[in-house]
Every structure is written in C-alpha cells, then in structure tokens.
Amino acid sequence: MAEVSVFNMEGQEVGKMTLNDAVFGVEPNEHLVQLAVKTQLANNRQGTQKAKTRSEVRGGGRKPWRQKGTGHARQGSIRAPQWTGGGVVFAPVPRDYSIKMNKKEKRAALKSALTSRVQENKLLVLDSLKLDEIKTKNMKKVLDNLNVKKALIVLDTADQNVILSARNLQDVKTLPAETINVYDVLKYNTVVATEAAIKKIEEVYA
C-alpha cells in the first residue's frame, strides 16, 4: 500500500497516511481516462445552437426578377444563402452531444486518475482544512505554505468558509469528495485533500 505524508495548514509534515490500493494503487488505464474526459466534456455541451436554413427564413416567396433579359444573374429567392438576410448553408440545429459510459468504466477511470496523481507525487493530504472566516487571503496563505498554485481542493464536507475563500483564486477549485471526477483531477496540477475526504473516497470507490 502507498504511504503519503500528511501536512497541516502551515505546510509542516505531521504524520503519514496509508492509502487503499483498491483506489490509489491500481494499474492506470489511459484509454478509460481519455474516454472519461471525452464523455464529461461532451455531456457538458448544451447543444442548443441554431441557425435558419433558406427554407426557414421569412420572406423570399417569389422570384425577385424574371429569369432572362435583365442583365442580372438569375435568382430564385431573396432568401438564398448568397443574399444578405438569407438562410445559412448546412445551418447548425439543436442536438444531443451526450455519450454514455458504463459505471464500472467511470470508476476504473477515476481510480486510474487518482493513482497517477499518487505516482507523480501530486496528491497532498491535509490533517484538516478549517478557516475561521471567509477570506481569500487566508486560503492563499494555506496554499502558499504547501507550495501549491493550480490546485483541486477536495473536502469531506461543504465547508462554506473554505469554498467561498477559494472561489476568487485563479486556478483553484473546491469539490466535495462525492463529486470528484476524472477531468478535474487531471486538469489541476495538484490534488489537495483532507484525511477525511480521502477516507470518504475510499469508502465510495474501494
């Protein structure tokens, strides 16, 4: 089983924590990780873009001028794509971009992502993360103590002081342990999690 250091909010090492190999020590599967990221990004797309084709644009019911003898090129409608105010060629229409991924594959992908973070020494465990007040400066100080910039902070409970203090920090995101996902684990350079959050993740995914 992998063992990682546990730090306090001042950045000092205060102990060790043994991680469950069923979650943090699996054989990474890059294909499943790539599929999970692709699925999440696709499912986030709204797919609501819409433009009108020539058949949907209002007007243009009659031929603008006769076929021959005017000196102009022949035209059948003022709503053809080459006219200002005309329809769009191959116009986008609302569609569903979502991709289905099996639950077992999702779990395996998340375990692979978490394992890669452990192997790369990009998982930092805190004994606790508590702030007395909502203050961005205090949250930044904690991250500076840990020498961390672009970070995903994983919490065991929705601590509003921590969440609101981190909200204005660029490249910092907070997530409860239950909603941790492959995309965010890989997007941020470091995953900072409390001991309680790690235990909750192990309970859910082990």
Side-chain angles (χ1 to χ4, degrees), residues 23-121:
V23 179
F24 296 95
V26 302
E27 183 69 31
N29 187 325
E30 289 184 13
H31 170 67
L32 282 182
V33 170
Q34 186 268 343
L35 186 60
V37 171
K38 180 182 174 183
T39 300
Q40 186 172 339
L41 292 178
N43 292 351
N44 284 344
R45 293 184 70 174
Q46 289 184 315
T48 55
Q49 59 175 344
K50 175 74 174 79
K52 291 183 178 181
T53 62
R54 63 183 295 168
S55 66
E56 296 169 316
V57 179
R58 182 179 176 86
R62 72 182 180 88
K63 196 171 171 64
W65 52 74
R66 68 179 194 266
Q67 181 83 345
K68 292 177 178 290
T70 63
H72 295 296
R74 56 193 175 188
Q75 298 292 334
S77 169
I78 61 169
R79 290 296 173 252
Q82 71 270 24
W83 285 71
T84 300
V88 178
V89 181
F90 307 128
V93 293
R95 55 169 286 195
D96 182 10
Y97 288 96
S98 63
I99 303 171
K100 186 177 182 297
M101 189 174 181
N102 295 333
K103 285 182 181 178
K104 284 185 178 179
E105 290 178 325
K106 284 182 184 176
R107 292 170 71 92
L110 181 57
K111 290 177 183 180
S112 294
L114 291 171
T115 298
S116 69
R117 281 291 175 245
V118 173
Q119 292 174 348
E120 295 164 5
N121 294 321

Side-chain angles (χ1 to χ4, degrees), residues 25 67 87 91 95 146 164 170 173 177 180 205:
Q67 181 83 345
R95 55 169 286 195
L146 297 168
L164 296 176
Q170 190 176 13
K173 182 175 182 178
I180 192 170
Y205 295 101

